[in-house]
Amino acid sequence: MDEDERTHWENIYRQKAPDAVSWYRRHLETSLSLIERSAPDRNASIIDIGGGESTLVDDLLASGFKNITVLDISQTAIDVTKKRLGAAAKKVRWVAADITQTVLEPRAYEVWHDRAVFHFLTSPQQRRAYVRQVALAVKPGGSVIVSTFGPEGPTKCSGLNVVRYDTDSLHNEFGAHFHLVESSKELHETPFGTTQQFLYCYCRVEAK
Ligand SMILES: C[S@@+](CC[C@H](N)C(=O)[O-])C[C@H]1O[C@@H](n2cnc3c(N)ncnc32)[C@H](O)[C@@H]1O
């Protein structure tokens, strides 16, 4: 794990309340609706990459999903989310790890979700490592939902540089085995009253 990155995120989550970070939304409505559409079976296995302290896991449990993994580089973020969920936290698998470096079970997931993590990978090596993880861990025919800052989104987030994407440039990072189902843009209103453009891409992994 890159120690600097881990320390950066630990410091953010130790210092800020869950609703005091720019990416906070009460509910990740677009993410939830894409996951529900891509996985009608509530037994589908879902992994949320860089779930942070978001309420997506609460909403997935409320929606009846039974096979959820939340991965984040920050143990603090995971602990806050577990505490919020209380007893329901036991129904979720929690992984504190850097997605570019951890070992994932091959073909384990029907749905891969990431809101606002991929855009922090500013080096081609990091992005290649991430895409290798997706290709390994998502079942053939599974869904990949990735949301980054859009072309008019911010150039930095929480003090870190980001890469902004349009549909083509994001899809190109993943390659031809990922069939684009749809993409959309979202104007996210931050807790500070400003707006940020997000891009959502929803792909299906080629069924072999
Ligand atoms: C901008 S926040 C988004 C949190 C959440 N997905 C949301 O939409 O509310 C980015 C999250 O990714 C996590 N993160 C950053 N780099 C990571 C990495 N290399 N591997 C795993 N998690 C990472 C951070 O700890 C943080 O929780």
Side-chain angles (χ1 to χ4, degrees), residues 5 9 13 23-25 28 48-55 71-74 77 97-100 113-117 119-121 157:
E5 256 172 58
W9 289 104
Y13 285 119
W23 54 92
Y24 172 77
R25 282 178 89 79
L28 302 188
D48 185 19
I49 305 301
E53 297 175 349
S54 90
T55 58
L71 179 148
D72 201 281
I73 202 168
S74 164
D98 179 337
I99 188 53
T100 63
H113 172 266
D114 161 354
R115 175 178 182 264
V117 183
H119 61 203
F120 288 110
L121 306 180
C157 178

Side-chain angles (χ1 to χ4, degrees), residues 138-155:
V138 178
K139 293 182 187 183
S143 300
V144 180
I145 297 159
V146 175
S147 177
T148 63
F149 284 148
E152 280 125 46
T155 54

